[in-house]
Amino acid sequence: MSNQSFWGEFHGEKAVWLRAGQYEAAVLPEIGANLIAFRDTENGYRFLREPAEEEMTSFKEFPIVHGIPVLFPPNRYEDGKFPWQGAVYQFPVNEEKTNNHLHGFVHNIPWEVLGFSSNDHESKVTLALKVRPGHSVYAYLPHSFTIKLSYTLNEDGLLQHVLVNNDGDTPLPCLLAFHTTLNAPFIPGSTPDDCRFMMTTGRRYELNERMLPTGRFQPLTAEEELMKTTGLSPFFEPMDNHYTTDPQNGRNRMELTDVRRKVTLVYDAGTAYKHWMIWNNNATPGFFCPEPQMNLVNAPMVDLPAEQIGLLSLAPGEKWEETSRLYVK
């Protein structure tokens, strides 16, 4: 059987490796369950931005712009404040220039490996983060809950499944995103000029000088309209933009095409993600981040309907789940 799942290393860090057909992937349980590699070994494609061995120290200090980090809760919160059910949780202010909290608490801490396996059809790993009193996350989000994250590799590409379960006896705020960091280009020999992308973006939220939404929308530029149709370079201008999603043909997706090789990477995010963030490191060629996000930035502080802004609440015992897939066409 050519498919495999096994303990190994990624530049000296403990990793679970998956292999299935022409694909391989690696996840780092002790660094936020970050899926740090997804590759097509037959063609030499590396879809995700991976840290080099000499970058591992800086990566561990800031594991956001490599692989697929898990954000819970995602993005920015004004002055670190998170109003919830009559209380106000205080998150650490970790973005000095905006005086905001940024990106939650689960992307840089250990997760548990529940198991991994392989058969003739696929390879799979499942990880979990179980938050209870005394856990580091509980200090900021005082709720008992579990996040389970599974990756399955097969001939159809990479399937991601995430499930959040409220294990406590009070309503749980459920806000989640993935800071997915894609190589552009992902094909050896290609250049950033060979890359075009499209996304199922809808309306663009206006953000203030602290990168927080005002509650208003901005008109889309001609280039932003092209993102939804024919596509354009992911580096056409600096982007740190927040959009609603606008699924097409029932799918919520990003497509990155190498026009030289005529190969397209599809990121089919589940439609439960009602928002997209796009960040391209000030239009620096090499990588960019199309980020599927459940909620509006700073959602608890925005005076808009909870359903519109993705401010989800899970009742005791309730579960939320969604799937996404990365594949080539």
Side-chain angles (χ1 to χ4, degrees):
M1 183 173 66
S2 60
N3 298 343
Q4 296 177 294
S5 59
F6 57 93
W7 280 111
E9 289 190 348
F10 180 90
H11 296 330
E13 288 296 321
K14 186 183 297 185
V16 176
W17 283 89
L18 306 178
R19 290 179 179 153
Q22 70 196 68
Y23 296 115
E24 69 177 8
V27 65
L28 302 177
E30 296 186 358
I31 309 178
N34 190 325
L35 190 95
I36 200 62
F38 173 41
R39 308 166 179 169
D40 178 332
T41 57
E42 284 187 8
N43 293 294
Y45 304 161
R46 293 198 175 197
F47 303 109
L48 299 176
R49 184 177 185 236
E50 304 174 20
E53 187 169 7
E54 63 272 16
E55 296 175 314
M56 289 301 290
T57 298
S58 59
F59 161 70
K60 286 186 283 186
E61 291 173 354
F62 189 70
I64 288 295
V65 292
H66 295 86
I68 306 182
V70 186
L71 308 184
F72 190 94
N75 222 284
R76 293 178 172 90
Y77 298 89
E78 184 177 355
D79 302 323
K81 297 186 184 304
F82 191 100
W84 184 253
Q85 302 284 313
V88 179
Y89 302 153
Q90 182 64 54
F91 299 166
V93 173
N94 58 1
E95 189 179 50
E96 185 176 340
K97 66 180 180 181
T98 64
N99 201 54
N100 297 323
H101 172 77
L102 179 65
H103 290 335
F105 321 105
V106 307
H107 60 276
N108 57 356
I109 62 175
W111 289 49
E112 177 186 357
V113 177
L114 296 183
F116 50 86
S117 61
S118 298
N119 57 38
D120 289 339
H121 305 290
E122 62 189 22
S123 296
K124 180 178 181 178
V125 61
T126 300
L127 308 101
L129 185 73
K130 299 177 182 179
V131 175
R132 303 291 186 271
H135 192 280
S136 63
V137 173
Y138 194 91
Y140 304 114
L141 278 174
H143 297 267
S144 294
F145 63 96
T146 301
I147 306 175
K148 291 183 181 179
L149 182 63
S150 296
Y151 286 104
T152 304
L153 203 58
N154 57 31
E155 63 181 7
D156 296 315
L158 179 75
L159 176 69
Q160 178 198 70
H161 175 263
V162 60
L163 182 146
V164 182
N165 186 76
N166 184 356
D167 303 311
D169 54 10
T170 57
L172 170 72
C174 182
L175 296 82
L176 179 142
F178 293 93
H179 205 284
T180 306
T181 309
L182 299 180
N183 282 327
F186 58 87
I187 295 180
S190 292
T191 71
D193 290 338
D194 297 317
C195 297
R196 300 290 182 274
F197 88 111
M198 66 81 61
M199 287 179 70
T200 53
T201 48
R203 306 176 73 185
R204 179 178 175 179
Y205 279 102
E206 180 183 68
L207 303 177
N208 64 20
E209 68 281 355
R210 295 177 62 185
M211 299 303 294
L212 301 171
T214 65
R216 299 184 295 269
F217 291 102
Q218 293 178 303
L220 298 181
T221 65
E223 289 83 1
E224 287 176 305
E225 293 286 358
L226 290 177
M227 290 195 317
K228 302 191 289 184
T229 55
T230 58
L232 74 170
S233 168
F235 312 108
F236 74 94
E237 68 178 15
M239 288 188 290
D240 193 354
N241 301 346
H242 192 23
Y243 302 88
T244 63
T245 59
D246 186 14
Q248 298 177 9
N249 198 31
R251 311 308 302 170
N252 190 33
R253 72 190 192 280
M254 186 287 318
E255 295 189 359
L256 176 61
T257 298
D258 185 304
V259 295
R260 181 182 71 92
R261 292 285 299 273
K262 296 180 173 56
V263 175
T264 297
L265 173 68
V266 180
Y267 186 18
D268 186 355
T271 55
Y273 300 108
K274 303 296 186 183
H275 305 266
W276 282 112
M277 289 295 303
I278 309 178
W279 182 73
N280 68 359
N281 193 28
N282 202 33
T284 304
F287 71 92
F288 76 112
C289 301
E291 307 167 33
Q293 189 163 299
M294 290 175 62
N295 58 286
L296 177 67
V297 171
N298 202 34
M301 300 281 277
V302 178
D303 187 20
L304 290 171
E307 182 67 25
Q308 177 182 337
I309 62 177
L311 187 58
L312 269 64
S313 175
L314 295 187
E318 194 170 11
K319 304 177 191 296
W320 178 91
E321 62 185 320
E322 186 55 285
T323 59
S324 299
R325 184 180 292 277
L326 283 159
Y327 67 93
V328 170
K329 70 171 186 178

